[in-house]
Amino acid sequence: MLQNYFPILLFLLVGLLVGVIPLVLGYGVSKALGTARPDTAKNSPYECGFEAFEDARMQFDVRYYLVAILFILFDLEVAFLVPWAVVLKELGMFGFLSMMIFLAILVVGFVYEWMKGALEWE
């Protein structure tokens, strides 16, 4: 029974190795071959060649987050549509109607956000 989980374990191990080995090798090579000569110019903050106008920890407008959340919402819609479209023949009319209800609810939400002005950036 545990042998059924071997491909998952192998996938996780390969993914971990692909993520960790370049980091370790890159750090080791940079330490071995690189030279560190810090000075005030290298350690100074850089933003388009001049000092920053404001604090880097300034607050963003809430509309930025609203647009990001709406993008994720409608991006997930596409993530649900692709597998549904692949197996539509096996799902039959029930699957079709279920997705149409889902899309109708999503469209109502989209129209509501549009009418509220959430998609407008001033």
Side-chain angles (χ1 to χ4, degrees), residues 74 77 81 96-112:
F74 291 111
E77 173 191 342
L81 281 174
F96 178 76
L97 291 176
S98 298
M99 185 53 76
M100 291 303 112
I101 292 170
F102 172 73
L103 289 175
I105 292 170
L106 212 57
V107 166
V108 167
F110 178 71
V111 169
Y112 174 77

Side-chain angles (χ1 to χ4, degrees), residues 61 63-64 67 116-122:
D61 190 5
R63 287 175 292 190
Y64 173 79
V67 170
K116 286 296 228 179
L119 301 175
E120 295 175 12
W121 197 267
E122 295 174 0

Side-chain angles (χ1 to χ4, degrees), residues 2-93:
L2 289 177
Q3 66 189 8
N4 293 339
Y5 292 103
F6 180 72
I8 297 171
L9 178 65
L10 185 63
F11 178 77
L12 290 174
L13 287 175
V14 169
L16 188 65
L17 290 176
V18 166
V20 170
I21 287 177
L23 288 174
V24 172
L25 287 177
Y27 180 76
V29 168
S30 68
K31 282 294 181 186
L33 300 178
T35 57
R37 296 186 199 126
D39 60 16
T40 56
K42 288 182 182 178
N43 289 334
S44 67
Y46 175 75
E47 185 173 323
C48 300
F50 52 85
E51 293 294 324
F53 293 120
E54 298 178 18
D55 184 23
R57 293 177 184 91
M58 67 180 187
Q59 292 183 351
F60 286 97
D61 190 5
V62 75
R63 287 175 292 190
Y64 173 79
Y65 298 107
L66 183 61
V67 170
I69 289 171
L70 290 174
F71 172 76
I72 291 171
L73 176 74
F74 291 111
D75 190 43
L76 286 176
E77 173 191 342
V78 173
F80 283 129
L81 281 174
V82 171
W84 169 79
V86 170
V87 295
L88 180 59
K89 285 184 182 179
E90 289 85 20
L91 294 176
M93 186 55 84

